[in-house]
């Protein structure tokens, strides 16, 4: 039986916490941050919890091995 391939973009964007919640990073933190205030840049560091229930189903299909703990 072959393994299911992981969608790498999904695996890089999302991760599970220890309690099993799905978290993602905020948008707008990749580039053009020089002109932002220090407070604004600091707010980019926190992760947001994914609240939509259908996203969990999509992630389970795209990245089946993501929730496994190492």
């Amino acid at each position: 039986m072959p393994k299911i391939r992981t969608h790498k973009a999904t695996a890089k964007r999302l991760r599970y916490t220890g309690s099993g919640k799905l978290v993602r990073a905020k948008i707008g933190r990749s580039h053009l941050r020089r002109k932002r205030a220090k407070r604004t840049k600091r707010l980019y560091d926190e992760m947001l919890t994914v609240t939509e229930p259908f996203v969990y189903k999509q992630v389970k299909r795209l990245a089946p091995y993501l929730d496994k703990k190492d």
Side-chain angles (χ1 to χ4, degrees):
M1 191 71 189
K3 290 184 178 178
I4 304 168
R5 296 194 68 164
T6 298
H7 189 258
K8 288 304 196 177
T10 304
K12 289 172 187 174
R13 288 183 175 122
L14 300 163
R15 73 179 105 143
Y16 283 97
T17 61
S19 61
K21 293 180 193 170
L22 195 62
V23 290
R24 65 170 177 85
K26 289 188 175 183
I27 61 168
R29 63 178 278 179
S30 60
H31 65 288
L32 299 177
R33 291 175 68 181
R34 285 177 297 195
K35 56 182 123 179
R36 306 273 184 246
K38 282 184 181 251
R39 180 180 181 274
T40 307
K41 288 192 276 191
R42 196 169 55 245
L43 289 175
Y44 283 133
D45 292 339
E46 84 178 68
M47 301 290 278
L48 295 176
T49 306
V50 177
T51 56
E52 296 82 9
F54 67 90
V55 176
Y56 282 85
K57 193 174 182 181
Q58 289 176 340
V59 170
K60 188 69 179 165
R61 197 184 100 244
L62 290 169
Y65 306 109
L66 187 62
D67 59 344
K68 307 254 179 181
K69 303 291 184 251
D70 292 325

